[in-house]
Amino acid sequence: MNLPTAVIWKKLTLIHANKGTMFETDLLNQLQMSRYVKSGDIDVCTHFANLVVIKEQLTEIGSPISDPSFTSYICTSMSLVTSFKSLFTALTTASHTSKKPTTSEELIWYLTEEANSKTIEDNINKQDEAMISAHTKSKGESNNLKRKAKAKDSCHCSNCNKDGHTDDQCFAEGGGMAGKAPKWWVKKNGGKSKGKGKGKSANAAEVSDDENFALLTCLTINSLDDNFINIALAVTSSHSHKAHAVSPSAGVIIDCGASSHFFLS
């Protein structure tokens, strides 16, 4: 059987109305003790929605509260959030001046707008702090690099006679890092250690690295035929291809690139 809507609503009203005074007392206690906490589990909109639900339940059981009373409950529920005190002062002043009290609907709208504005402001402040922190860190790193570069420029190595490092940091022979050079340094310097070094070992290294040799050996197989000669030529310089290109019959070796020569007088 289909019942009219008015009949169904009347039955529901009677059900809620018969809950008695204990239910009414519990609702009023919830309304009085409700407090909004900024860092709590619910936001300000949900808080106000819960208060409105309690007010509507009181109306359903036949114990409605006046709008000024509900406005007072709303103000009390926001007492733990000190950031809204200036808004409450402004609303009270405006109400006193206009001789018109602020309704609960208006108060909820003002408080919601204030909460949203503060949320946006907090987010902007956090972004600004992050940007300032990142800029400060970047500036500090840049200053450190400048200080390091300046300190590096002021260094001079007496081992290789170059700027930018000290003797104990030098990869060249005689330096503190001799034999520990990275691959890029060895490749750049052709595998040679050009430090002036210390003592006899450094001098020996200079001779072996900087001097090149050419060795020519002639062997006559037939003494009656001077043109039939076996010749062996060894050249350690990069000019060896020029030396080998010369014909043996020329009797000379041109531009062998050697700094020392061995020959039989």
Side-chain angles (χ1 to χ4, degrees), residues 122-199:
D122 291 342
N123 291 335
I124 293 175
N125 290 336
K126 290 179 180 179
Q127 293 176 0
D128 290 344
E129 290 175 359
M131 291 176 63
I132 292 173
S133 177
H135 177 71
T136 303
K137 183 179 179 181
S138 176
K139 187 176 180 180
E141 292 176 352
S142 177
N143 291 335
N144 289 336
L145 291 175
K146 289 180 180 179
R147 283 194 293 269
K148 289 180 180 179
K150 186 176 181 181
K152 185 176 180 180
D153 292 340
S154 62
C155 295
H156 179 76
C157 177
S158 59
N159 180 59
C160 64
N161 199 30
K162 293 182 179 179
D163 296 328
H165 62 276
T166 57
D167 292 22
D168 59 331
Q169 299 171 336
C170 186
F171 294 126
E173 188 69 29
M177 299 295 290
K180 301 179 182 178
K183 293 181 179 180
W184 65 264
W185 188 92
V186 175
K187 184 177 180 181
K188 179 181 178 181
N189 292 273
K192 297 181 180 181
S193 300
K194 298 182 179 180
K196 64 183 182 181
K198 299 178 182 179

Side-chain angles (χ1 to χ4, degrees), residues 58-114:
L58 287 169
T59 302
E60 289 173 1
I61 64 175
S63 300
I65 57 175
S66 64
D67 192 71
S69 297
F70 186 53
T71 301
S72 178
Y73 284 129
I74 293 174
C75 293
T76 303
S77 71
M78 302 299 290
S79 60
L80 298 179
V81 187
T82 58
S83 59
F84 290 102
K85 285 185 177 181
S86 58
L87 176 62
F88 284 127
T89 301
L91 292 176
T92 302
T93 303
S95 177
H96 179 75
T97 303
S98 63
K99 306 296 182 181
K100 181 181 178 182
T102 303
T103 65
S104 60
E105 185 176 350
E106 292 173 339
L107 181 60
I108 291 175
W109 185 87
Y110 285 128
L111 291 172
T112 302
E113 286 297 306
E114 182 71 10

Side-chain angles (χ1 to χ4, degrees), residues 9-10 24 36 50 56 59 72 76 109 115 117 177 223 225:
W9 177 253
K10 185 176 181 180
E24 177 186 351
Y36 171 71
N50 291 339
E56 292 175 348
T59 302
S72 178
T76 303
W109 185 87
S117 298
M177 299 295 290
S223 59
D225 186 2

